[in-house]
Amino acid sequence: PYVASMSLKAKFNEIAERYAPAQVKSWTQADIDRFAKVDPVNAGRIRTLQTTGTISWAGGVAGFVLGAAFFWKRGGTVNGATVAAIIGGIPSYMVGHEATHQVLTFTHELYKFNAMDANKAFLGWWAKNGGAI
């Protein structure tokens, strides 16, 4: 019993079970529409977060393409240009994504609400209404 209680694996499993996120199925726009009937405020916030996430992703891809193109021209050989494009494109993706997100924070007024609270509200509702695995 003493040795079992000191097992690192047992301790890890105990902690992992305690903090494991709730498992839920994928949801659709129709599910968010159902959520809007129950909680219209947080449903609107979820829709805003989805929109801004998509636009931020597109800004990151645009940053990657522009960064990769810029660094591609600076590589001497094909191998050098490829490596330069990849190495230059990755941070350009991050800068493009973050810059787009910062602009969207003000244009879509994301600073006015806590995104985590909106996500928690939706995920809690979804787990109770057909989303639990």
Side-chain angles (χ1 to χ4, degrees):
Y2 177 75
V3 173
S5 69
M6 297 304 290
S7 167
L8 288 177
K9 183 178 178 187
K11 286 290 183 190
F12 176 79
N13 287 340
E14 176 187 331
I15 292 169
E17 288 173 13
R18 188 180 326 151
Y19 295 107
Q23 299 294 316
V24 293
K25 295 186 274 187
S26 296
W27 55 87
T28 64
Q29 206 59 37
D31 299 318
I32 295 174
D33 293 339
R34 283 182 27 223
F35 178 61
K37 293 174 184 170
V38 176
D39 190 348
V41 173
N42 281 322
R45 291 173 177 173
I46 292 292
R47 288 186 182 120
T48 301
L49 290 170
Q50 285 181 323
T51 303
T52 57
T54 303
I55 296 170
S56 292
W57 176 83
V61 169
F64 180 87
V65 169
L66 292 172
F70 177 82
F71 286 102
W72 175 268
K73 291 209 167 253
R74 273 114 191 108
T77 64
V78 174
N79 290 343
T82 303
V83 170
I86 292 170
I87 291 174
I90 292 171
S92 297
Y93 169 85
M94 291 186 279
V95 168
H97 183 278
E98 189 59 30
T100 307
H101 178 72
Q102 292 302 319
V103 169
L104 291 171
T105 296
F106 291 102
T107 60
H108 286 72
E109 298 179 339
L110 299 179
Y111 57 86
K112 289 188 174 183
F113 64 90
N114 186 344
M116 185 64 74
D117 290 343
N119 280 322
K120 279 183 179 178
F122 174 72
L123 290 175
W125 174 86
W126 181 231
K128 293 175 189 168
N129 292 284
I133 292 181

